[in-house]
Amino acid sequence: MEVSYNTQAGVDAKHNLFVHAEATNTNDGKALHRAATYAKKNMSLKKEDTIDVLSDKGYHTGAELQQCHDDNIQTYVAFKEQPSVKHLQKEFLSTQFIYNKQEDSYTCPAGQTLTSLGTWHHKKGDAGETSYRFKTYRTDGCKKCSLKLYCTKLNKRIIHRSEYQDAVERNNANIRNNPDYYKRRQSICEHPFGTIKRQWGYTYTLMKGLQKVNGEMNLIMLVYNIKRTVSILGFEKMLQAIQTWKPDYSRIIYSFLQQQVRLIWSQTVTLFFSENKITSQLRAV
């Protein structure tokens, strides 16, 4: 039986060193903000400091993009182009509808205005997706529109707008306006993984269990950082830097205590439910 975990990692653009690494049992769609925040902390940056994050399309989730924006993390996350639909002309895809923020309305390619009743609906997230709210927009102008055949098969064309749409559009504009900048992602974060997996042969872990796998992955990436630092500084300068390094042990201890508290809490909850299950069985007897 094989058990797989997902490794989240952050690599800095200047030196190509790992600044964050964590083995998780969640997928990329819910990992962007957490990974970016930890990377920011590990580089001794404050919340008000701004950083850019370049990620592939697996991390493109509206809620995560919004959280990053709120914490001064500028996102450049690849997005999927809206797929074509058989009965829709390209000119009538929802991306061609212009949103008016002041009026909270959309204008369709035919010039009709789509409005909303202001009611929020809830979209339950599938596996790997986050639940979110959205509003619907429509117009009565569809009934007499000569272009309706190319736009919708329904009585009215309906547009959905997520509560995170502003963050999504802001991110997508970053990608469209800076295509060469985004391409740097491959040379920044893909190269270290290529070295670890292809050159060193670490295509699987020897340990089992999330905590142990997390430790093993961090040791591997620590070795990568050491070898990379030797390439940047040279061995003598690296040793000199280590000798004069004064780590902030309070941060290390605090992080360790946080992990221990989470572990104790999870064990307490498990024990609580186990005891309640035993009590219920005794009562049933």
Side-chain angles (χ1 to χ4, degrees):
M1 178 180 177
E2 294 184 358
V3 178
S4 299
Y5 297 109
N6 200 4
T7 300
Q8 304 297 337
V11 181
D12 83 296
K14 184 176 181 180
H15 300 295
N16 286 18
L17 293 168
F18 284 107
V19 293
H20 168 67
E22 181 183 19
T24 69
N25 53 10
T26 57
N27 59 27
D28 295 345
K30 298 180 180 180
L32 180 66
H33 178 255
R34 177 182 173 87
T37 301
Y38 273 113
K40 196 172 179 179
K41 287 181 179 179
N42 292 338
M43 291 189 290
S44 299
L45 298 175
K46 298 178 181 179
K47 184 176 180 179
E48 57 267 24
D49 295 329
T50 301
I51 64 170
D52 291 348
V53 171
L54 283 62
S55 305
D56 63 40
K57 62 182 65 175
Y59 295 87
H60 194 279
T61 304
E64 295 288 319
L65 297 175
Q66 183 63 58
Q67 284 182 289
C68 286
H69 174 73
D70 293 341
D71 287 340
N72 295 314
I73 300 171
Q74 186 84 322
T75 60
Y76 294 78
V77 182
F79 60 93
K80 296 180 181 178
E81 295 286 353
Q82 186 179 2
S84 58
V85 183
K86 288 183 179 180
H87 68 275
L88 285 182
Q89 295 291 329
K90 183 178 179 180
E91 293 76 14
F92 291 91
L93 295 175
S94 61
T95 52
Q96 304 301 315
F97 285 58
I98 301 173
Y99 181 68
N100 185 322
K101 191 170 185 176
Q102 292 182 339
E103 301 291 336
D104 188 25
S105 64
Y106 278 92
T107 301
C108 77
Q112 298 290 340
T113 300
L114 289 77
T115 58
S116 170
L117 296 177
T119 304
W120 286 104
H121 306 276
H122 291 268
K123 168 68 175 179
K124 185 177 180 180
D126 298 326
E129 296 184 358
T130 304
S131 299
Y132 62 91
R133 300 183 305 162
F134 68 92
K135 290 192 290 187
T136 58
Y137 299 77
R138 64 194 75 197
T139 177
D140 292 330
C142 295
K143 298 177 181 179
K144 299 180 180 180
C145 182
S146 60
L147 301 176
K148 180 177 179 293
L149 178 65
Y150 306 104
C151 184
T152 181
K153 287 185 176 180
L154 303 176
N155 291 330
K156 298 179 182 180
R157 177 65 186 273
I158 299 174
I159 296 292
H160 291 171
R161 183 176 181 85
S162 162
E163 61 181 313
Y164 304 117
Q165 194 63 34
D166 286 341
V168 169
E169 291 175 356
R170 183 167 46 244
N171 170 83
N172 296 357
N174 288 343
I175 293 291
R176 290 193 180 97
N177 297 334
N178 303 276
D180 293 333
Y181 183 56
Y182 174 73
K183 288 179 182 178
R184 294 185 60 199
R185 183 191 67 84
Q186 293 180 331
S187 60
I188 295 171
C189 64
E190 297 295 346
H191 182 268
F193 277 104
T195 301
I196 290 172
K197 295 171 70 174
R198 294 187 180 182
Q199 186 174 343
W200 296 0
Y202 285 107
T203 56
Y204 59 92
T205 59
L206 299 176
M207 306 300 291
K208 295 182 179 179
L210 180 59
Q211 189 174 13
K212 294 178 181 178
V213 170
N214 196 24
E216 183 176 350
M217 290 304 305
N218 274 274
L219 284 174
I220 293 171
M221 293 177 180
L222 173 61
V223 172
Y224 177 89
N225 277 357
I226 292 173
K227 292 174 70 69
R228 175 68 183 156
T229 302
V230 171
S231 298
I232 297 171
L233 297 178
F235 190 73
E236 294 298 330
K237 287 186 177 181
M238 186 190 73
L239 283 181
Q240 184 180 1
I242 292 175
Q243 290 172 351
T244 57
W245 178 46
K246 295 181 179 180
D248 184 358
Y249 288 108
S250 62
R251 292 179 59 193
I252 299 173
I253 293 172
Y254 177 70
S255 178
F256 173 76
L257 289 176
Q258 277 188 319
Q259 293 178 3
Q260 294 304 307
V261 168
R262 283 197 294 265
L263 178 61
I264 292 171
W265 172 250
S266 64
Q267 291 174 344
T268 302
V269 171
T270 302
L271 180 61
F272 172 79
F273 282 110
S274 298
E275 288 180 346
N276 274 271
K277 184 177 180 181
I278 293 171
T279 303
S280 299
Q281 289 175 344
L282 289 174
R283 287 176 180 173
V285 172

